[in-house]
Amino acid sequence: MEPMNYEVWFITGSQHLYGEETLKQVANNSGEIVDGLNQSPVIPVRLVHKPVLTTPDAITATMQEANAAEKCIGIVTWMHTFSPAKMWINGFRILKKSVLHLHTQFNRDIPWESIDMDFMNLNQSAHGGREYGFLLSRLRRNRKVVVGHWKDKGVQERVGSWTRAALAWHDWQGMRVARFGDNMREVAVTEGDKVEAQIRFGYSVSGYGVGDLVAVVNAVSDDRVDTQLALYAREYELAEDILEGGSRRSNLREAARIELGMKDFLENGGFKAFTTTFEDLHGLKQLPGHAVQRLMAAGYGFGAEGDWKTAALVRAMKVMGTGLEGGTSFMEDYTYHLDPSGMKVLGAHMLEICPTIASGKASMEVHELGIGGKEDPIRLVFDVNKGAGINVSIMDMGNRFRMLVNPCKVVEADQPLPKLPVARVLWEPEPDLPTAAAAWIHAGGAHHTGFSMAVNAEMMEDFADMADMEILMIDNETRIRDFKKEIRWNDLYYHLSDGLKK
């Protein structure tokens, strides 16, 4: 998803009370702000300057246009002067796009020696934004509020963060998720209400028999497989037994065929995310391992064992992180290091960790897989560089969907891992492992996550607001006693919230 193919409309509010000359100055100032923001390297989409809005009809018409504009992913609103908020009611009753309220003013400083009432009449954001803010609060409208001068880097970074979340939310609308096979049997958290997810989030989840995929895999030509093998030799360090003439070269050929077939299936169906499960592989010779890894690296969302919620989440996080350093992957908390001097989590999966988070060149290897009952699959093996990361999960709690967010610090392993033939990452969760794990479990957190070293907590919070989804943050401020209270308060709020919004 190329962010510059999309746009955010910059909408300025005012009224006719101040006269045409003032309105011309309002338009000029807002245009200059848009030009300045469009030069910022931390805002990935293009802002489009719209005419100053001064009447209810003009506001409603602009919101209708925004709804119909395919490239418009949201609106930034700014009250340069005082804009009576009743004018905005109908527009916000119909608006379907995400909203950011930029509470700024054109000038940074008060001109102490020259300030007069003309200046005061023009620069009324301080109270104009409050009038506008009341109306959106009265309408129970979720939005982001960014306060500060528009030239400040911190303000621009927060605007940029919101645009990345808006891109992901826009991407979810009409997105298709393919499930190859069903859910892993008897597993609870990967299940959920797919109809409710489509109603609330906009994406659809469809199941396909593995035989449908097998037919596409078997149709892949040997010539395409040969080309793919040459690509692998350039991009990865190939283990000796899968080189030309190696004892397991046939395993690599079959893995390449599976990757090409899966890609064909997903492209032909217009899918952006998918799931597999090792309990439903009928007709496939291997559990797709490196195929999933490489498809994630190409931008697809993925969830193992039929986990469609995580597949959609990983896709959203990949969209948010477009162009940023780091990467995003499907992940699972696998095992702990409980040394009191430094507790850590070892994250991994059977095979399916995305190489966008790899440190250096990944190794392509084949190893025994003790589950699934198929031939030994190919996988990419690598470690991950140190740095800031984040783990995110979404669960269906019955009456709502809940997002959990836990920032972490990725660290080096205490010792090498010579006998662990999977991609892996080691991290220290905020605020510490005992608190983070306890809070995660109290909240009913899933064992699958979207892990990223490109996306941050603010982006996820913005995204949850757009989705009107409960979000619980586990970070350095978390205390278990207070966290349990927050869960109970949220239970009550979400029981009543539908009534509040009517």
Side-chain angles (χ1 to χ4, degrees):
M1 189 176 190
E2 177 51 55
M4 287 307 294
N5 291 336
Y6 297 89
E7 58 193 34
V8 168
W9 290 8
F10 192 95
I11 295 173
T12 307
S14 188
Q15 61 178 324
H16 283 293
L17 178 67
Y18 307 113
E20 289 304 313
E21 288 303 314
T22 297
L23 290 177
K24 287 179 182 178
Q25 189 63 46
V26 168
N28 290 337
N29 291 164
S30 61
E32 187 171 334
I33 290 177
V34 171
D35 290 341
L37 294 178
N38 276 332
Q39 294 175 26
S40 172
V42 296
I43 300 176
V45 304
R46 184 171 65 94
L47 275 72
V48 177
H49 183 223
K50 289 295 178 178
V52 178
L53 300 181
T54 57
T55 68
D57 290 344
I59 292 169
T60 299
T62 299
M63 301 307 192
Q64 289 173 329
E65 292 171 11
N67 284 340
E70 292 184 8
K71 291 185 177 181
C72 177
I73 62 169
I75 65 170
V76 172
T77 54
W78 174 45
M79 302 302 110
H80 192 325
T81 64
F82 191 84
S83 179
K86 286 172 63 177
M87 296 194 302
W88 295 82
I89 291 175
N90 195 50
F92 274 105
R93 287 181 64 246
I94 65 172
L95 181 67
K96 303 297 183 182
K97 300 296 174 82
S98 303
V99 181
L100 181 146
H101 176 191
L102 181 58
H103 191 54
T104 189
Q105 58 189 29
F106 182 71
N107 59 295
R108 191 193 70 175
D109 302 329
I110 293 174
W112 304 104
E113 294 184 0
S114 62
I115 187 170
D116 56 18
M117 284 311 301
D118 288 338
F119 181 93
M120 298 281 275
N121 284 334
L122 176 63
N123 298 284
Q124 299 187 50
S125 297
H127 64 283
R130 285 167 165 75
E131 164 73 359
Y132 170 77
F134 162 75
L135 190 280
L136 268 64
S137 294
R138 176 66 177 80
L139 293 174
R140 271 69 179 186
R141 177 77 194 209
N142 288 356
R143 76 280 192 190
K144 186 180 183 75
V145 180
V146 176
V147 180
H149 193 250
W150 56 277
K151 288 185 178 180
D152 290 347
K153 183 180 178 182
V155 167
Q156 295 177 1
E157 286 175 341
R158 298 198 68 205
V159 173
S161 170
W162 173 84
T163 64
R164 290 182 176 278
L167 278 167
W169 178 244
H170 181 81
D171 186 68
W172 264 19
Q173 308 314 302
M175 182 178 78
R176 302 186 67 201
V177 181
R179 296 181 83 205
F180 297 120
D182 199 355
N183 198 60
M184 181 179 172
R185 290 185 281 276
E186 305 299 338
V187 175
V189 77
T190 51
E191 293 279 14
D193 189 335
K194 295 186 286 292
V195 174
E196 186 65 15
Q198 186 168 352
I199 292 169
R200 289 185 175 272
F201 304 143
Y203 64 77
S204 63
V205 183
S206 300
Y208 293 88
V210 178
D212 295 334
L213 172 60
V214 170
V216 181
V217 169
N218 290 342
V220 173
S221 69
D222 288 340
D223 287 344
R224 291 181 67 196
V225 171
D226 291 338
T227 300
Q228 197 73 356
L229 295 182
L231 183 150
Y232 296 160
R234 293 192 301 270
E235 293 192 0
Y236 310 111
E237 299 287 348
L238 270 60
E240 185 175 348
D241 57 356
I242 60 175
L243 293 171
E244 184 70 44
S247 61
R248 291 184 167 184
R249 181 71 170 184
S250 61
N251 295 60
L252 182 61
R253 290 191 65 86
E254 187 59 31
R257 197 180 305 276
I258 290 172
E259 179 194 344
L260 292 168
M262 293 186 81
K263 184 177 180 182
D264 289 346
F265 191 103
L266 296 170
E267 286 182 348
N268 293 337
F271 299 102
K272 296 179 179 178
F274 67 102
T275 72
T276 62
T277 174
F278 64 85
E279 287 188 325
D280 195 349
L281 298 173
H282 185 71
L284 287 175
K285 294 182 180 180
Q286 300 174 15
L287 171 66
H290 95 289
V292 171
Q293 293 178 289
R294 284 179 49 81
L295 287 166
M296 269 195 287
Y300 288 95
F302 173 75
E305 291 107 42
D307 189 351
W308 52 270
K309 297 186 296 299
T310 301
L313 171 65
V314 170
R315 167 63 186 185
M317 294 173 73
K318 282 189 170 291
V319 171
M320 287 183 227
T322 300
L324 297 177
E325 292 185 6
T328 295
S329 178
F330 169 79
M331 189 58 68
E332 180 173 270
D333 294 55
Y334 223 101
T335 195
Y336 293 140
H337 182 65
L338 295 179
D339 182 345
S341 66
M343 295 188 182
K344 307 174 181 70
V345 179
L346 177 61
H349 205 254
M350 293 183 296
L351 306 173
E352 308 98 334
I353 302 300
C354 179
T356 58
I357 64 173
S359 60
K361 199 171 186 178
S363 173
M364 181 173 276
E365 305 173 12
V366 57
H367 295 276
E368 179 182 358
L369 185 67
I371 56 177
K374 298 291 181 177
E375 73 176 26
D376 296 334
I378 303 294
R379 77 284 304 274
L380 298 173
V381 179
F382 53 83
D383 293 301
V384 178
N385 284 325
K386 296 186 295 183
I390 192 170
N391 272 295
V392 185
S393 195
I394 294 177
M395 299 74 64
D396 184 345
M397 302 304 294
N399 66 334
R400 65 191 185 275
F401 290 89
R402 169 181 288 168
M403 177 185 289
L404 273 178
V405 179
N406 184 206
C408 63
K409 180 173 71 172
V410 178
V411 297
E412 291 181 348
D414 294 7
Q415 299 179 35
L417 302 164
K419 295 184 178 181
L420 184 62
V422 293
R424 59 283 179 121
V425 55
L426 203 70
W427 68 79
E428 298 172 349
E430 292 186 4
D432 53 65
L433 195 154
T435 304
W440 196 274
I441 291 169
H442 277 300
H447 58 283
H448 290 164
T449 65
F451 170 85
S452 183
M453 297 184 74
V455 173
N456 60 37
E458 184 173 14
M459 295 178 199
M460 298 312 308
E461 188 171 12
D462 291 342
F463 185 78
D465 281 346
M466 293 169 190
D468 199 19
M469 189 190 322
E470 178 189 14
I471 181 170
L472 293 171
M473 196 73 64
I474 303 171
D475 58 17
N476 286 326
E477 303 300 318
T478 298
R479 301 293 180 269
I480 293 298
R481 181 184 295 113
D482 295 333
F483 191 79
K484 290 168 67 176
K485 291 177 183 177
E486 184 178 0
I487 292 171
R488 296 188 186 108
W489 296 335
N490 284 5
D491 281 339
L492 180 60
Y493 167 77
Y494 282 97
H495 180 71
L496 300 172
S497 63
D498 285 344
L500 288 173
K501 293 177 182 177
K502 292 180 181 178

